[in-house]
């Protein structure tokens, strides 16, 4: 379920922003991006400079990635951070445009899951 998350800058200073994240969708998107590119967790951890346990917890939905880490994902996979955050937005499900955006994000995840299952 969506919850307020304080996003800190890379120095750990005052929260850069408070946003609502639907973290399960974001965590699954990050996992699927990694598997789509045929990378193991260990390989990606080495490239991003993070521990295997941290990535495992993020992909399992136990931790929320920092903006700094999302920036590293964006750089590694040539994706804008805004595209990654698309999977984390908590939107007003009563608004038709927001329902459409959530629906599109879920369809993209379903497509990535299908591609992942074919490997």
């Amino acid at each position: 379920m969506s919850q307020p998350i304080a996003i800190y800058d890379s120095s750990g200073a005052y929260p850069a922003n408070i946003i609502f994240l639907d973290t399960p969708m974001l965590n699954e998107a990050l996992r699927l991006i990694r598997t789509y590119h045929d990378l193991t967790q260990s390989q990606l951890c080495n490239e991003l400079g993070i521990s295997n346990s941290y990535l495992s917890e993020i992909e399992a939905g136990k931790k929320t990635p920092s903006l700094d880490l999302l920036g590293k994902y964006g750089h590694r996979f040539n994706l804008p951070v805004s595209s990654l955050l698309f999977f984390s937005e908590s939107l007003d499900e009563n608004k038709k445009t927001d329902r459409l955006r959530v629906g599109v994000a879920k369809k993209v995840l379903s497509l990535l899951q299908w591609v992942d299952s074919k490997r």
Side-chain angles (χ1 to χ4, degrees), residues 27-82:
N27 297 71
E28 178 67 358
L30 295 177
R31 184 189 73 77
L32 290 168
I33 289 167
R34 175 185 59 79
T35 61
Y36 177 80
H37 289 277
D38 291 324
L39 291 172
T40 65
Q41 282 186 342
S42 295
Q43 290 169 323
L44 185 58
C45 288
N46 288 335
E47 290 185 32
L48 299 181
I50 61 174
S51 71
N52 284 8
S53 61
Y54 182 53
L55 181 59
S56 178
E57 289 178 310
I58 287 172
E59 289 186 355
K62 295 177 182 175
K63 292 205 175 188
T64 302
S66 66
L67 281 178
D68 186 49
L69 181 59
L70 292 177
K72 290 179 181 182
Y73 263 86
H75 184 262
R76 167 57 182 89
F77 297 110
N78 197 29
L79 293 167
V81 173
S82 60

Side-chain angles (χ1 to χ4, degrees), residues 51-111:
S51 71
N52 284 8
S53 61
Y54 182 53
L55 181 59
S56 178
E57 289 178 310
I58 287 172
E59 289 186 355
K62 295 177 182 175
K63 292 205 175 188
T64 302
S66 66
L67 281 178
D68 186 49
L69 181 59
L70 292 177
K72 290 179 181 182
Y73 263 86
H75 184 262
R76 167 57 182 89
F77 297 110
N78 197 29
L79 293 167
V81 173
S82 60
S83 293
L84 296 172
L85 289 174
F86 175 76
F87 292 102
S88 69
E89 292 182 44
S90 174
L91 303 171
D92 180 359
E93 300 252 348
N94 294 323
K95 291 174 63 179
K96 187 174 184 177
T97 55
D98 288 352
R99 284 195 313 269
L100 177 64
R101 289 179 68 192
V102 168
V104 168
K106 287 180 179 177
K107 291 291 184 191
V108 169
L109 280 180
S110 293
L111 178 62

